[in-house]
């Protein structure tokens, strides 16, 4: 019965605010692709939900407007991904809705710098990027991330540092989770271990992402660092959410529902809350009434933006269900691939040079 009431309330709200036609018109996808590789792939520009069903792009925005925590994944070097993220931020922002935007790319030590921007003096946020030491810290060009920051700043949205400082991750690598005090371990969701299947899957992804070149003994420390980063991002989202909720900008691995930031949100925020979704107009002679619904406190929406692969032609080929059987994301947006460089070949060459220079 409660489930039926929830569905009814959501249906009434959609009718009430007239969001169906509006959401279909929202420009989530870029007007043209900057990435050129595999642009003719059948999945490019397609949006799928967690069940593998093709849906209109506007459905993401419609659902995100009813969600407290929105997580936007990315492939870091793909400019199209950042345009999509910026479009979603712009569509969600409004006079009565000002969610904070949390960045994986900014460590806690720069929290003061990211909280300050002045579009009148710095209309393209170039000085803002310098104060954040963006490219100096090794991130891809500010030019491809600029649309996200401008979407936030032009809509007067707070921007928030989400990641751990480098000295903290180094300590975790050396000392393990004992580098964090017990309160921080609890806050970051680190007192609950990953299930063996999820841990094994994360280990395998770390191997692959480093081209199977890292010594096996280094991987457990990397798992701890990854989980601590997830915890830091989740904590930043919670602290920044206040009245309007928050939006996370992070790599696709951080927004996975089965083991990353959404899982920690569920751990940190058990229970539910009553949320007002608007007014339903009454018939003639009847008063309008407020529509309220009870939803999980940790209610979140995870959206992955994924580059297509030429040998994977259907949604099922991407195997987006985790070891636990849970869908990794609520929605997936497919784009062309930006860079086809064989980074593993370059990494192997670098490793060989390092071996030769060792005494």
């Amino acid at each position: 019965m409660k489930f039926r009431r929830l569905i009814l309330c959501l249906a009434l709200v959609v009718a009430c605010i007239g969001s169906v036609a509006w959401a279909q018109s929202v420009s989530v996808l870029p007007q043209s692709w900057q990435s050129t590789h595999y642009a003719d792939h059948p999945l490019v520009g397609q949006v799928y939900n967690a069940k593998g069903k093709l849906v209109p792009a506007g459905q993401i925005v419609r659902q995100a407007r009813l969600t407290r925590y929105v997580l936007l994944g990315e492939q870091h070097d793909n400019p199209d991904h950042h345009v999509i993220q910026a479009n979603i931020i712009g569509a969600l922002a409004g006079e009565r809705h000002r969610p904070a935007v949390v960045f994986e790319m900014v460590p806690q030590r720069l929290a003061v710098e990211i909280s300050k921007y002045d579009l009148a003096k710095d209309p393209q946020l170039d000085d803002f990027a310098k104060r954040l030491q963006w490219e100096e810290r090794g991130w891809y060009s500010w030019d491809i991330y600029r649309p996200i920051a401008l979407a936030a700043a032009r809509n007067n949205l707070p921007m928030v540092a989400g990641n751990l400082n480098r000295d903290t991750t180094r300590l975790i690598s050396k000392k393990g989770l004992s580098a964090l005090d017990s309160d921080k371990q609890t806050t970051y969701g680190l007192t609950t271990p990953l299930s063996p299947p999820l841990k094994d899957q994360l280990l395998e992804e770390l191997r692959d992402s480093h081209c199977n070149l890292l010594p096996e003994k280094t991987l457990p420390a990397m798992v701890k660092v990854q989980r601590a980063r997830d915890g830091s991002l989740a904590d930043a989202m919670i602290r920044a959410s206040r009245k309007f909720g928050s939006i996370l900008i992070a790599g696709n691995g951080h927004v996975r529902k089965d083991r990353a930031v959404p899982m920690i949100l569920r751990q940190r925020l058990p229970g539910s809350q009553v949320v007002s979704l608007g007014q339903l107009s009454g018939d003639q002679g009847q008063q309008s009434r407020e529509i309220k619904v009870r939803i999980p406190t940790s209610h979140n929406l995870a959206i992955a933006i994924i580059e297509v692969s030429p040998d994977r032609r259907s949604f099922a080929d991407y195997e987006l269900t985790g070891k636990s059987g849970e869908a990794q994301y609520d929605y997936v947006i497919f784009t062309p691939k930006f860079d086809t460089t064989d980074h593993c070949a370059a990494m192997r060459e670098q490793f060989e040079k390092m071996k030769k220079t060792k005494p």
Side-chain angles (χ1 to χ4, degrees):
M1 180 64 71
K2 289 183 179 179
F3 180 77
R4 291 177 62 186
R5 287 177 180 171
L6 171 61
I7 297 299
L8 176 61
C9 285
L10 290 175
L12 288 171
V13 171
V14 168
C16 170
I17 63 177
S19 66
V20 174
W22 169 81
Q24 298 292 350
S25 67
V26 171
S27 298
V28 170
L29 301 177
Q31 293 183 350
S32 61
W33 299 110
Q34 298 177 59
S35 306
T36 57
H37 299 291
Y38 319 127
D40 59 349
H41 191 288
L43 291 180
V44 164
Q46 301 296 315
V47 180
Y48 286 81
N49 65 16
K51 295 181 179 179
K53 182 180 178 181
L54 189 64
V55 298
Q59 184 170 317
I60 289 177
V61 175
R62 188 167 69 245
Q63 188 168 345
R65 287 182 71 86
L66 302 174
T67 307
R68 185 164 184 76
Y69 300 105
V70 177
L71 301 92
L72 302 179
E74 64 176 48
Q75 174 70 32
H76 294 313
D77 66 345
N78 192 314
D80 292 311
H81 292 197
H82 307 312
V83 171
I84 292 170
Q85 291 167 324
N87 288 344
I88 293 174
I89 290 171
L92 295 181
E95 184 178 343
R96 297 185 179 181
H97 188 63
R98 296 182 55 244
V101 181
V102 177
F103 284 83
E104 174 202 350
M105 302 80 200
V106 184
Q108 294 166 359
R109 68 180 180 84
L110 294 172
V112 173
E113 297 298 338
I114 196 174
S115 68
K116 298 182 296 186
Y117 54 83
D118 187 344
L119 284 175
K121 296 180 180 178
D122 187 21
Q124 292 301 309
L125 299 180
D126 291 316
D127 181 63
F128 179 72
K130 291 177 182 176
R131 288 189 286 107
L132 292 178
Q133 305 163 18
W134 192 272
E135 294 177 22
E136 179 184 334
R137 291 185 293 106
W139 283 101
Y140 291 97
S141 168
W142 175 246
D143 286 337
I144 68 171
Y145 275 93
R146 190 195 314 271
I148 304 170
L150 285 176
R154 288 171 178 171
N155 286 287
N156 198 26
L157 307 183
M159 286 188 271
V160 178
N163 212 338
L164 297 172
N165 295 328
R166 182 169 293 182
D167 57 355
T168 302
T169 60
R170 285 174 176 168
L171 276 175
I172 295 171
S173 294
K174 292 178 180 179
K175 299 182 177 181
L177 298 182
S178 62
L180 302 171
D181 62 41
S182 59
D183 287 342
K184 271 285 189 283
Q185 291 183 42
T186 300
T187 297
Y188 292 168
L190 301 174
T191 55
T192 303
L194 282 179
S195 67
L198 288 175
K199 184 177 180 180
D200 290 344
Q201 190 179 57
L202 179 53
L203 282 167
E204 187 60 33
E205 288 181 13
L206 290 170
R207 287 189 194 97
D208 290 345
S209 65
H210 292 83
C211 308
N212 293 300
L213 292 171
L214 293 180
E216 193 70 17
K217 64 182 181 181
T218 65
L219 294 176
M222 294 179 69
V223 168
K224 292 182 175 67
V225 170
Q226 180 80 356
R227 293 197 64 211
R229 284 188 171 129
D230 286 337
S232 176
L233 295 173
D235 185 53
M237 290 192 78
I238 293 169
R239 287 186 290 104
S241 62
R242 298 184 181 178
K243 183 177 180 180
F244 300 107
S246 55
I247 301 168
L248 176 64
I249 302 296
N252 286 318
H254 288 296
V255 309
R256 284 180 55 142
K257 295 184 76 71
D258 56 344
R259 68 160 190 248
V261 176
M263 183 188 74
I264 297 169
L265 291 174
R266 293 196 299 269
Q267 293 173 357
R268 286 276 310 272
L269 302 169
S272 60
Q273 61 182 344
V274 175
V275 176
S276 173
L277 299 178
Q279 296 284 337
L280 179 65
S281 298
D283 296 331
Q284 288 185 351
Q286 293 182 340
Q287 292 183 342
S288 64
R289 57 191 179 90
E290 187 177 16
I291 298 298
K292 294 184 178 182
V293 63
R294 182 175 294 277
I295 61 172
T297 310
S298 61
H299 187 42
N300 63 78
L301 192 72
I303 301 154
I305 309 175
I306 296 178
E307 294 179 326
V308 295
S309 296
D311 56 342
R312 294 190 283 179
R313 312 288 287 180
S314 71
F315 176 84
D317 292 336
Y318 291 79
E319 299 179 344
L320 296 173
T321 300
K323 293 291 186 180
S324 63
E326 180 181 2
Q328 294 176 13
Y329 309 103
D330 293 299
Y331 290 98
V332 176
I333 303 171
F334 289 101
T335 75
K337 191 172 180 64
F338 180 69
D339 185 5
T340 58
T341 302
D342 186 349
H343 295 287
C344 285
M347 189 177 288
R348 282 191 290 271
E349 183 179 349
Q350 184 179 0
F351 266 64
E352 288 300 319
K353 288 180 180 179
M354 290 171 61
K355 287 180 182 179
K356 291 178 181 179
T357 58
K358 283 184 178 181

